[in-house]
Amino acid sequence: MIDPAAARHAAEAVPGIPRDAQGPVFREPWEAQAFAMALALHERGLFTWNEWASALAEEIKRAQAAGDPDTGETYYQHWLAALEKLVADKGVTTPATLHRYRDAWDRACDRTPHGQPIELRPDDFNNLGDVRTT
């Protein structure tokens, strides 16, 4: 659960967060989870809101230069990419570990029937190619 006061503070501190009168709004559950991860890492002192805003702005600028139409639909994709880069830059993880987990989630998603929760299993971390079950 996201702390409402922390969410309001983040929405005020970081420009561009999609929000309504109650605070941040999310189209997908993963967007809220990425938002919550950034809040938690900020609260633990990993980065300041100024550092976060700068990392996010850099990611959005990079994406726009690569052709992102900047319609708002990709905002949290940029949010997640900035978060991944920032935690790697801060030494919390490595780009290789992030890549390993991204691949594992892709494998878990591929084998999970539509509408079911996606759960990681140890074999999702094996680089055995596509193993799909439905």
Side-chain angles (χ1 to χ4, degrees):
M1 175 98 185
I2 296 174
D3 174 25
R8 276 191 305 280
H9 178 70
E12 293 166 2
V14 181
I17 292 176
R19 62 182 174 177
D20 61 17
Q22 282 73 47
V25 294
F26 310 100
R27 295 176 328 163
E28 301 282 341
W30 74 265
E31 294 176 347
Q33 291 168 342
F35 181 84
M37 283 189 284
L39 283 181
L41 292 171
H42 169 264
E43 289 172 357
R44 286 173 176 78
L46 185 65
F47 50 78
T48 67
W49 282 130
N50 285 341
E51 286 178 293
W52 173 252
S54 176
L56 181 58
E58 285 179 34
E59 180 56 34
I60 290 171
K61 184 178 178 180
R62 185 206 58 74
Q64 288 173 342
D68 184 271
D70 195 24
T71 61
E73 294 177 7
T74 56
Y75 182 80
Y76 282 105
Q77 290 173 358
H78 306 318
W79 182 280
L80 184 57
L83 185 59
E84 289 177 345
K85 183 175 183 333
L86 197 52
V87 298
D89 288 350
K90 295 283 186 169
V92 174
T93 191
T94 65
T97 299
L98 290 168
H99 185 72
R100 182 173 176 251
Y101 273 84
R102 192 175 307 117
D103 286 350
W105 276 108
D106 283 346
R107 281 189 279 288
C109 183
D110 287 346
R111 71 167 159 69
T112 303
H114 180 73
Q116 297 297 310
I118 299 171
E119 297 179 5
L120 286 176
R121 300 187 313 216
D123 61 318
D124 292 321
F125 290 91
N126 298 332
N127 291 323
L128 302 175
D130 286 336
V131 177
R132 298 174 193 247
T133 60
T134 55

